[in-house]
């Protein structure tokens, strides 16, 4: 029940997307996100949808995992749609009291929702095909040049990867804590808000205590192995661009050019 | 009055890539007042099993009857079940959260909707029962040692006065004196409150000394169910599953292998000592 958290939920299967260098996936996802803001007309949206569909198919990740991420932003999508439908001025289609529904409003709403879907699905593909540790390593390598400006890139990357690694552990502990407190008579099925808030205390306190304890243990373990950030650390599996990575860059370049050309023509 | 597990099947991560059958058609019956141990290799499904018995996990098929009622039935009074079936997990850290030990032990009975005086009386009794010193009552549960935390966690469950007490590896992390103390307490609870006790353990000696009946789990299947003495007579089968027999049985087993015939099948240390004494005396003559 608690495992529905997509963040950092890598889907272990072998596909071309899984094998790509994480840097490629990060940069391509970023380019895709930019492209989503460049499209204006039907053809552009079609191209973006098609590209996303192809990526979903070649990732081999079941579709239901892909749309899991959308559940989390369902409220935001509905809110965006509603606000846009009611507040965009233009040709009035329907008037309910003081609010007008306009054709332009509907168009804008559809566009906004589509964009949100593209953004979330795009990043979901990246997350589902890359382990959190490869992802942070990729980020670290991309931002490496910033170390010249005294930015602690390695330390930040290490912190992110530890945080990501802790998520499944904490989810697991949360599950155990909820069970232990259910045994002591806490009714987690009660839907009343006041009860639900009261029920948080016996869950959150042990969770925080355990998170702090684990963090402390990890710090000691790292120090005992003489961990020292920065310097001339080398990776155990250094990232190297392969032929398929160059092809991936080429593909995303062609896609971006297409989006731009469509934008100019229509 | 009994607990019946009726063909329970439980799978983790159903319908995903990681689907894993933890229990496969497990059935058995536990009568009131029984003293039962569940043994089995790591990952054999013991913890999963006892979580199903008190309704923390819902089976994928099959069901559990408590006193004749299906606990997974829609109309079943689940909150009532909480007061009747206690379960102590291996790690006490997951349930301690109050500012002081006494309030923490009060938490369970309070959730049962009892009056304040009754709640405090039960908490006091439970803390006395687990032999915690009075001066520890108002300390923070987080400042206690691992063994003391375990006692407080147990008190938290006992204060709810359950009819069935289930314990998941209760002796893990206790010192030898603590282990002895725990089993003495369980024995007393059984005698005075007529409790049913079910515990999981990896230590065959403590199982032999205390349990009257044993359930053996192997890879999600219930493979043996019988009186302690009977189960421990299957030496080859148990070792084949990566399990062991009690030290006392092992000594007699070694004697047998070396040609010294014994006619008893001892499981407790006392019995083994008596048997060895008898053999020794027989040799002298
Ligand atoms: N939360 C979980 N998610 C997925 N699989 C689980 C989970 N908990 C247990 N399992 C799996 O279910 C099976 C049975 O686990 P269980 O914890 O019941 O074993 P156990 O007999 O209690 O082992 P141990 O002696 O190590 O405590 C194992 O294969 C385990 O990997
Ligand atoms: Mg277990």
């Amino acid at each position: 029940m608690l495992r529905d958290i997509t963040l950092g939920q890598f889907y272990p299967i072998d596909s071309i997307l899984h094998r790509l260098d994480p840097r490629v996936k990060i940069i391509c996802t970023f380019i895709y996100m930019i492209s989503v803001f460049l499209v204006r007309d039907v053809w552009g949206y079609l191209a973006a949808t098609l590209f996303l569909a192809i990526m979903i198919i070649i990732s081999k990740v079941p579709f239901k995992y892909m749309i899991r991420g959308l559940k989390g932003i369902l409220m935001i999508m509905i809110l965006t749609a509603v606000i846009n439908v009611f507040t965009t001025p233009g040709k009035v289609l329907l008037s309910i009291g003081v609010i007008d529904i306009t054709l332009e409003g509907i168009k804008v709403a559809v566009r906004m929702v589509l964009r949100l879907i593209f953004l979330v699905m795009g990043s979901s593909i990246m997350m589902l095909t890359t382990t959190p540790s490869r992802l942070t390593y990729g980020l670290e390598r991309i931002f490496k040049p910033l170390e010249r400006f005294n930015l602690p890139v390695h330390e930040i990357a290490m912190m992110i990867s530890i945080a990501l690694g802790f998520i499944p552990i904490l989810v697991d502990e949360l599950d155990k804590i909820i069970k232990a407190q259910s045994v002591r008579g806490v009714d987690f099925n009660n839907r009343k808000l006041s009860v639900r808030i009261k029920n948080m205390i016996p869950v959150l306190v042990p969770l925080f205590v355990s998170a702090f304890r684990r963090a402390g243990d990890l710090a000691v373990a790292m120090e005992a192995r003489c961990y020292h950030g920065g310097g001339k650390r080398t990776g155990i599996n250094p990232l190297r661009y392969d032929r398929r990575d160059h092809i991936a860059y080429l593909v995303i370049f062609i896609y971006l050019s297409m989006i731009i050309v469509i934008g100019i023509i229509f | 009055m009994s607990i019946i597990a009726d063909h329970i099947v439980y799978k983790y991560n159903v319908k995903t890539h990681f689907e894993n059958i933890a229990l496969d058609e497990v059935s058995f019956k536990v009568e009131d007042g029984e003293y039962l141990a569940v043994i089995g290799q790591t990952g054999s499904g013991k913890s999963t099993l006892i979580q199903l018995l008190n309704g923390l996990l819902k089976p994928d098929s099959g069901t559990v009857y408590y006193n004749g009622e299906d606990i997974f039935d829609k109309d079943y009074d689940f909150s009532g079940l909480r007061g009747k079936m206690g379960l102590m997990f291996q790690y006490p850290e997951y349930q301690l959260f109050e500012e002081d030990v006494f309030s923490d032990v009060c938490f369970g009975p309070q959730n049962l909707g009892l009056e304040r005086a009754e709640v405090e009386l039960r908490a006091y009794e439970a803390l006395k029962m687990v032999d915690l010193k009075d001066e520890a009552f108002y300390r923070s549960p987080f400042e206690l040692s691992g063994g003391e935390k375990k006692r407080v966690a147990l008190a938290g469950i006992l204060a709810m006065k359950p009819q069935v007490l289930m314990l998941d590896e209760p002796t893990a992390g206790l010192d030898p004196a603590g282990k002895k103390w725990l089993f003495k307490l369980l024995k007393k609870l059984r005698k005075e409150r007529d409790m049913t006790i079910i515990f999981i353990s990896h230590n065959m000696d403590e199982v032999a000394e205390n349990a009257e009946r044993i359930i053996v789990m192997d890879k999600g299947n219930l493979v043996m169910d019988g009186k302690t003495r009977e189960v421990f007579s299957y030496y080859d089968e148990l070792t084949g599953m990566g399990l062991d027999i009690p030290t006392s049985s092992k000594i007699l087993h070694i004697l047998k292998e070396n040609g010294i015939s014994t006619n008893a099948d001892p499981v407790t240390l006392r019995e083994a000592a008596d048997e060895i004494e008898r053999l020794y005396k027989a040799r002298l003559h």
Side-chain angles (χ1 to χ4, degrees):
Chain A
M1 57 170 176
L2 287 168
R3 282 162 191 260
D4 294 343
I5 301 171
T6 326
L7 184 69
Q9 283 291 31
F10 172 67
Y11 192 86
I13 199 171
D14 192 27
S15 80
I16 308 169
L17 286 193
H18 283 73
R19 268 176 279 157
L20 280 182
D21 189 296
R23 285 172 294 180
V24 176
K25 282 186 268 192
I26 294 166
I27 291 170
C28 290
T29 308
F30 188 62
I31 292 176
Y32 181 74
M33 289 179 163
I34 293 173
S35 83
V36 167
F37 287 100
L38 293 177
V39 296
R40 314 214 158 272
D41 52 87
V42 179
W43 295 107
Y45 279 103
L46 220 58
T49 311
L50 201 67
F51 185 76
L52 192 69
I54 294 172
M55 289 307 134
I56 289 174
I57 291 166
I58 65 173
S59 76
K60 290 190 188 162
V61 177
F63 191 63
K64 70 166 196 253
Y65 280 83
M66 289 284 171
I67 50 173
R68 256 190 205 175
L70 290 180
K71 276 189 210 148
I73 61 152
L74 195 66
M75 269 327 280
I76 301 176
M77 290 201 305
I78 293 171
L79 217 66
T80 314
V82 168
I83 290 175
N84 278 298
V85 165
F86 293 133
T87 59
T88 317
K91 197 174 139 230
V92 178
L93 287 181
L94 190 71
S95 294
I96 310 162
V98 284
I99 35 181
D100 296 330
I101 296 177
T102 62
L103 184 65
E104 281 74 10
I106 292 175
K107 277 188 185 161
V108 173
V110 170
R111 245 182 236 160
M112 288 300 224
V113 169
L114 276 178
R115 275 185 189 163
L116 276 175
I117 292 176
F118 289 152
L119 292 181
V120 172
M121 298 268 275
S123 51
S124 286
I125 294 179
M126 177 176 79
M127 296 283 222
L128 285 162
T129 60
T130 323
T131 59
S133 63
R134 295 254 302 163
L135 207 59
T136 30
Y137 193 35
L139 278 172
E140 182 181 345
R141 291 292 301 270
I142 290 172
F143 289 108
K144 195 112 195 150
L146 292 181
E147 276 186 345
R148 233 175 281 156
F149 307 111
N150 279 333
L151 205 73
V153 174
H154 169 76
E155 281 76 3
I156 293 172
M158 180 54 102
M159 273 156 54
I160 296 173
S161 78
I162 290 173
L164 287 177
F166 263 117
I167 290 173
I169 295 175
L170 290 182
V171 169
D172 230 52
E173 304 224 304
L174 192 58
D175 195 42
K176 289 196 179 121
I177 293 167
I178 288 179
K179 279 179 185 162
Q181 304 297 29
S182 309
V183 170
R184 298 216 288 163
V186 179
D187 181 11
F188 288 103
N189 292 324
N190 198 317
R191 296 253 146 246
K192 261 211 330 246
L193 191 67
S194 61
V195 176
R196 278 164 77 178
I197 292 172
K198 224 180 82 203
N199 286 352
M200 308 251 306
I201 301 163
V203 173
L204 288 184
V205 173
L207 190 67
F208 273 100
V209 169
S210 142
F212 278 113
R213 198 195 52 224
R214 280 182 185 274
D217 288 352
L218 182 66
V220 170
M222 284 167 82
E223 268 181 6
R225 291 171 204 183
C226 305
Y227 171 80
H228 190 280
K232 295 196 175 54
R233 295 184 68 83
T234 50
I236 189 164
N237 295 313
L239 296 177
R240 247 182 236 109
Y241 280 127
D242 203 356
R243 211 165 68 103
R244 57 172 169 261
D245 299 311
H246 296 301
I247 295 173
Y249 276 135
L250 197 65
V251 169
I252 197 81
F253 178 71
I254 293 171
Y255 162 77
L256 187 65
S257 319
M258 258 171 57
I259 291 287
I260 293 171
V261 168
I262 290 173
I264 293 170
I265 293 177
F266 296 97
Chain B
M1 302 293 245
S2 58
I3 307 168
I4 299 173
D6 182 18
H7 295 90
I8 43 180
V9 176
Y10 188 81
K11 299 176 191 145
Y12 280 106
N13 305 314
V14 187
K15 293 199 197 103
T16 68
H17 212 70
F18 317 94
E19 184 166 310
N20 176 2
I21 300 185
L23 292 176
D24 192 5
E25 299 257 335
V26 174
S27 301
F28 60 92
K29 181 174 181 182
V30 184
E31 297 289 350
D32 258 3
E34 275 200 86
Y35 199 161
L36 176 75
V38 182
I39 63 174
Q41 232 180 333
T42 287
S44 56
K46 306 179 296 294
S47 302
T48 310
L49 181 66
I50 61 169
Q51 287 174 43
L52 274 149
L53 291 186
N54 79 346
L56 281 179
L57 298 174
K58 211 169 157 17
D60 290 292
S61 77
T63 190
V64 174
Y65 297 94
Y66 180 60
N67 292 344
E69 287 178 273
D70 184 344
I71 67 166
F72 296 107
D73 195 87
K74 272 199 294 297
D75 305 324
Y76 190 76
D77 168 28
F78 233 73
S79 45
L81 185 71
R82 293 283 165 251
K84 291 179 204 136
M85 274 204 195
L87 168 58
M88 188 172 82
F89 286 97
Q90 186 174 346
Y91 300 102
E93 289 84 1
Y94 293 135
Q95 69 173 59
L96 304 178
F97 75 99
E98 284 280 14
E99 272 167 60
D100 59 76
V101 167
F102 190 75
S103 326
D104 206 281
V105 176
C106 284
F107 184 65
Q110 210 170 296
N111 285 329
L112 293 179
L114 302 169
E115 273 172 39
R116 190 72 216 161
E118 171 74 7
V119 167
E120 288 184 359
L121 181 67
R122 282 188 177 199
Y124 183 79
E125 269 177 16
L127 280 167
K128 278 279 150 214
M129 216 176 271
V130 298
D131 271 354
L132 208 72
K133 287 183 225 74
D134 282 12
E135 56 264 31
F137 281 21
Y138 293 99
R139 279 174 66 191
S140 158
F142 302 109
E143 288 170 0
L144 303 175
S145 76
E148 287 166 336
K149 276 185 193 152
K150 211 148 192 171
R151 285 171 193 240
V152 175
L154 182 59
I157 305 285
L158 291 180
M160 297 175 77
K161 296 208 172 163
Q163 288 163 11
V164 182
L165 180 62
M166 299 192 261
L167 308 104
D168 196 343
E169 300 186 30
T171 53
L174 288 183
D175 62 7
K179 287 182 191 178
K180 242 189 212 143
W181 162 82
L182 178 78
F183 284 109
K184 228 171 91 189
L185 173 66
L186 292 184
K187 201 169 178 177
K188 195 174 122 197
L189 285 171
R190 202 172 152 229
K191 219 161 106 194
E192 289 175 6
R193 294 195 187 173
D194 224 7
M195 269 190 195
T196 308
I197 291 167
I198 302 176
F199 72 103
I200 294 177
S201 174
H202 285 292
N203 183 328
M204 297 307 140
D205 287 329
E206 67 188 31
V207 170
E209 297 286 338
N210 300 288
E212 289 172 359
R213 176 179 158 199
I214 301 178
I215 279 181
V216 186
M217 298 295 300
D218 186 38
K219 300 187 189 80
N221 295 296
L222 191 159
V223 287
M224 277 188 223
D225 178 356
K227 289 251 158 358
T228 304
R229 189 175 304 281
E230 186 190 341
V231 169
F232 280 136
S233 65
Y234 292 100
Y235 178 76
D236 295 328
E237 286 82 353
L238 288 174
T239 47
M241 284 183 275
L243 292 174
D244 211 345
I245 55 172
T247 318
S248 44
S249 314
K250 223 178 320 182
I251 294 169
L252 271 293
H253 199 84
I254 292 168
L255 286 179
K256 233 183 233 172
E257 274 178 351
N258 286 288
I260 301 167
S261 67
T262 65
N263 50 11
D265 245 338
V267 288
T268 66
L269 274 179
R270 185 72 259 152
E271 289 167 3
D274 288 345
E275 179 64 9
I276 290 172
E277 192 187 1
R278 195 185 63 78
L279 289 172
Y280 184 70
K281 276 186 182 149
R283 288 233 147 174
L284 286 183
H285 294 299

